[in-house]
Amino acid sequence: MENAISVSGLTKRFGQTKALDGLDLAVAQGEVHGFLGPNGSGKTTTIRILLGLLRADGGTATLLGGDPWRDAVALHRRLAYVPGDVTLWPNLSGGEVIDLLGRLRGGLNPKRRKELLERFDLDPKKKGRAYSKGNRQKVGLIAALASDVELLLLDEPTSGLDPLMEEVFRQVIAEETKNNGRTVLLSSHILAEVEALCDRVSIIRLGKTVETGTLTQLRHLTRTFISAELATPPNGLGSMAGVHDLHVSDNHVKLQVDSAQLDPVLRQLTSHGVRSLVSQPPTLEELFLRHYETEPVK
Amino acid sequence: MTAFTGTGSLVRLILRRDRVLMPIWMLFMAVLPLSLASGTAAIYKTDAERQGYIDDLGSSPMLILFYGQKPSDPNLGALIFWRSATGIVIMALIAVLFVIRHTRLEEEAGRRELLGSAVVGRHAGLTAALVAISGASLGVGVLVALGMMSQQTPASGAFAMGMAWAFAGIMFGAIAAVTAQLTEGAGAARGIGIGLLGLAFAVRGVGDVVAGGWAWLSWISPLGWVNQVHAFTDNRWWVFALAIVATVALAALALRLSARRDVGAGLLPPRLGPATAAPSLSSPLALAWRLHKGSLYGWLVGLGVVGGVLFGGVAETSTKLLEDNEQLTEILARIGGKSGAADIFLAGTLGMGATAIAAYGIAAALRMRTEEASLRSEPLLAASVSRMRWAASHLVFAFLGPTVVMAVTGLFAGLVYGASVDNIGREVPRVVGGALVQLPAIWVLGALAVAMFGLRPRLAPAIGWGALSLCIVLGQIGAALQLSQSLLDVSPFTHIPRVPGGSVAFTPLLILTALAVALAAVGLATFRRRDIPVT
Ligand SMILES: Nc1ncnc2c1ncn2[C@@H]1O[C@H](COP(=O)(O)OP(=O)(O)O)[C@@H](O)[C@H]1O
Ligand SMILES: [Mg+2]
């Protein structure tokens, strides 16, 4: 099946800043794709290029089989976008904005609109200026989710939502893909959200894709933390593949090891006689944090 | 920490944010009576001449409505204090806009909350705005007083006049401080403030025009008190006691109201909107109509109807003023007699109205920039709306808006003037024509803002407003400063024929229109290709 989004080697500069530096992204039809990366890594820039708002300096991008820049108006009938910071017109009510945006896309499903208003507990009569951050976000989400579109581009859409609403959001997105077969690109900072929703994930950093794959594949990239007391001081650990953050003091060893290299490293440890051993299982969080660290990727 | 902690640093913040705007309007206000005084002193040299002038002007109820009761003494200072009474209204208007801008607008934008969490007291924001406007008003007052003294008027009168002007700003600043507490939206708070100013003006005006048993009306309006200072005649200092008491009471009320409500909330319940959009709200144009209609209506009523009626009404009296001036009458006889005087007056006022309307055109064009910078254009352009369609929805208002307002201004001026000379059939088309010839110059300024919006969006507001200011300066004082014609030619308004009265040269009108089209086309072509949003 053709990809809903395929991007390769995308570059974009803003003056001196290199916002995108050869970014790759492939989102299959019908999947929820997590788009992760630290602040300023280029998520919003990528989404704006996909929306034909920014023009890429280099690379290629295809969206729903079309060119995001050239075919913008036609493509936008088939997608809905929610920015990370929804701003509203002060004198339009939330309900008016939902209807207007829906009509300017491919149309709105009134039944779905009503249902979403109830589930997100939003008063559509308030004027734009009267909504809190979270409620503005809900207006954007309802407008997008109630629209008859095949692709949702969500840029950190849950910022400002309380945990209860965050849960509603997860349920709704899960239903979207199961019942309606919609494709979702979800840029997010919230790991639990990504773990709960996403089929596949791309992690970007400094405008480049650093990891991409299913959550299971990514778990293989995680590391196990080991702290051990040995009978004799160890040697040769530092030169072993897959060993990171090694600290040795006398007979005490602390290290992190890639899941794939667990076996040879444990053998090496036992050859020195293990007296005690503590290990912490791999977490995705640790993987993400590793990519969020500021020093450049090696 | 007291409720006022941090007021000083907030005052500095206001001064910093307004470091360009504030000196400009202060200077503008100070120059207004000064230039009027030096001009009048040159023409009307003796008390007798000035008394004649005062009686001429004072015979028109329209002018009494504007200026208040005639002064009891024809000295130069008294004449200027009376003649420049519109300046008092401008002071009050600026004060309202200033205070709303630094209180309710801040709150609406969420910046007040940010400051509120820092070490500032509950009353600091409001107090800082009041301190700043009072300081600026007193500054204007001192400049006005010095300006009047430079025209050889007595110091006591000059000082009374300066303080009268200052208190117009201070009192209406305090009134705006109260209205800023009422509503959640800055627009509504501003509207109520300006509405109260209009009411104060109307009450004062009716009291002065009807006088007799209704003269007390002038005393219930703060604007009336300012006139009642009678600078250069009685110098009634005690009137300032009223102004001070009112200011303190209003400020105290504003602080009490502000203390009783939450940040961001208003005392009046916010109005709710419809839960679903009307079927018509389904295009960028329908949205643009919602965003622009308020200011369009404002200009239509303010300039179109009220301005038109005033221009038309005063045009006829302007002929009366000239009857006694032989020299002028002679000149005018050559260019068409008495109706020639009215024509000159109408062409001049329509030209001034046109510069005001250009401000509306520029503001409507720059609305695109506001929408972009606030990220509100993004969801629309991310929906199935082309950039051109979105831009066009705003440009309709930037170009057709001024057209409609100018036409209405001309229509009302023509009707009222035509009625006063009993020849509506002849005057309406002539005056409407005089209004419409201004349009190409108005369009050029709007189109310049569009061009900059495409080419250099961040600079667009500065260049748009800068160009208008330049045109105003060249038009108002360019000739007086004896600037060279090539410099005056920079302003598109220089090329507009003087109509009614003069002959219509079509070439400059066509060239200006073509220039406007070209500028708008450049703006749209570049906007189509550039990144959005540029923030
Ligand atoms: N309009 C712009 N002008 C200049 N720099 C920008 C602009 N938009 C984004 N950037 C820069 O590009 C980089 C990527 O930003 P962005 O795509 O917003 O990241 P993210 O959404 O992942 O936080 C950042 O360094 C940001 O400062
Ligand atoms: Mg972002």
Side-chain angles (χ1 to χ4, degrees), chain A residues 176-211:
Chain A
E176 280 305 318
T177 40
K178 208 182 314 148
N179 308 340
N180 307 331
R182 291 188 189 181
T183 312
V184 182
L185 177 64
L186 172 65
S187 134
S188 177
H189 269 312
I190 305 166
L191 189 60
E193 184 175 279
V194 172
E195 280 194 279
L197 289 175
C198 296
D199 305 308
R200 291 200 315 136
V201 173
S202 292
I203 303 177
I204 70 165
R205 165 173 181 150
L206 298 171
K208 265 202 196 78
T209 314
V210 288
E211 306 285 1

Side-chain angles (χ1 to χ4, degrees), chain A residues 12 48 52-55 69 73 76-77 81 87-89 91 93 95-96 99 103-104 113 125 127 129, chain B residues 108 185 271 273-278 281-282 290-291 371 374 376 378 380-384 387 529 531-532:
Chain A
K12 176 76 189 171
R48 283 184 176 148
L53 295 169
L54 300 179
R55 205 207 264 274
W69 179 269
V73 178
H76 293 176
R77 230 181 285 285
Y81 161 63
T87 46
L88 302 173
W89 295 273
N91 55 342
S93 71
E96 286 180 308
D99 288 343
R103 288 167 191 173
L104 293 178
R113 177 189 189 276
K125 289 206 193 99
K127 295 282 180 81
R129 70 168 69 87
Chain B
E108 198 182 45
R271 278 195 298 170
T276 55
L281 185 60
S282 57
R290 287 286 295 274
L291 303 179
E371 290 287 296
S374 65
R376 287 191 290 251
E378 208 179 28
L380 296 173
L381 295 172
S384 192
R387 293 177 181 213
R529 241 166 281 141
D531 285 348
I532 303 172

Side-chain angles (χ1 to χ4, degrees), chain B residues 268-321:
Chain B
L268 304 177
R271 278 195 298 170
L272 292 178
T276 55
S280 58
L281 185 60
S282 57
S283 66
L285 187 61
L287 174 64
W289 169 246
R290 287 286 295 274
L291 303 179
H292 286 272
K293 69 175 177 188
S295 74
L296 179 61
Y297 286 152
W299 282 97
L300 270 176
V301 173
L303 189 79
V305 179
V306 177
V309 167
L310 286 177
F311 296 166
V314 179
E316 204 263 335
T317 51
S318 73
T319 63
K320 247 190 245 154
L321 301 183

